[in-house]
Amino acid sequence: MYLKQCCDTLERKALKIAFIESASSGHLSAQFSIYKNSGADILLGGLVSYDPSIKIKILGIDPQLIKQYTAESTEVTTAMAIKGKILFDQADLIVSCTGLLKHGGSESKYKPVGTFYICINYLNQIHSFQYLIQGSAEEKLQQLTEQVAKEVLQCL
């Protein structure tokens, strides 16, 4: 299980992580906080920016970026990770997440439900990932969490 391994590694290396979440609605933050000797030892905090207005007002994402690429895109997810480092300046890693957990948003035949965008900002390097995950909403979130943990481990 990548999540436990990731939390243990973050703790061992004394690294702090923060999340800027949209599609995952705080699920990533919650999952990274539940392991023994983790929680406050590794999780600095998080922000759920589900609605684009939060991305604009709190994170300072350019509304034109959202208009041009949609709120669920690599470009917006990257901007969220960069702006997240300003909000959570004590974090060693910022993980941002957008996507389509359920129907709506910018869903299209090219961007179906289950499409997720992840961006990891670590050591001022941006690592971007895109996934297409199948299953129920809960199954998608569990798979997404494992993918994020795996990617964080690879960045470290």
Side-chain angles (χ1 to χ4, degrees):
M1 186 156 103
Y2 289 111
L3 179 58
K4 173 127 178 56
Q5 183 182 355
C6 184
C7 290
D8 290 345
T9 301
L10 290 169
E11 183 179 36
R12 188 176 65 257
K13 293 183 174 217
L15 297 173
K16 295 279 189 181
I17 192 168
F19 294 90
I20 308 294
E21 300 183 64
S22 185
S24 51
S25 302
H27 185 82
L28 295 171
S29 296
Q31 293 303 300
F32 273 76
S33 74
I34 62 173
Y35 285 94
K36 183 178 180 193
N37 299 325
S38 291
D41 293 334
I42 64 166
L43 180 64
L44 185 63
L47 172 71
V48 176
S49 58
Y50 199 79
D51 189 84
S53 68
I54 303 303
K55 293 173 180 66
I56 295 165
K57 291 179 184 174
I58 305 294
L59 289 171
I61 304 296
D62 184 345
Q64 291 300 340
L65 190 69
I66 295 171
K67 184 177 180 179
Q68 181 176 358
Y69 295 105
T70 78
E72 304 88 13
S73 64
T74 299
E75 293 80 8
V76 170
T77 310
T78 299
M80 289 166 59
I82 293 167
K83 298 288 188 169
K85 182 62 177 159
I86 296 167
L87 282 179
F88 296 101
D89 62 345
Q90 296 174 34
D92 299 292
L93 297 103
I94 303 290
V95 177
S96 59
C97 171
T98 67
L100 299 160
L101 180 64
K102 299 183 268 181
H103 293 286
S106 60
E107 178 185 356
S108 71
K109 82 176 194 179
Y110 303 106
K111 192 190 311 181
V113 170
T115 301
F116 292 92
Y117 301 93
I118 299 295
C119 187
I120 300 170
N121 185 347
Y122 178 56
L123 299 176
N124 293 317
Q125 292 186 5
I126 304 299
H127 308 270
S128 297
F129 308 92
Q130 180 178 340
Y131 310 111
L132 180 59
I133 301 173
Q134 304 295 322
S136 69
E138 292 83 10
E139 290 167 338
K140 287 176 196 156
L141 288 173
Q142 287 306 104
Q143 291 176 56
L144 178 67
T145 301
E146 283 295 304
Q147 286 290 349
V148 167
K150 179 181 176 184
E151 303 298 0
V152 167
L153 282 167
Q154 290 182 1
C155 288
L156 298 177

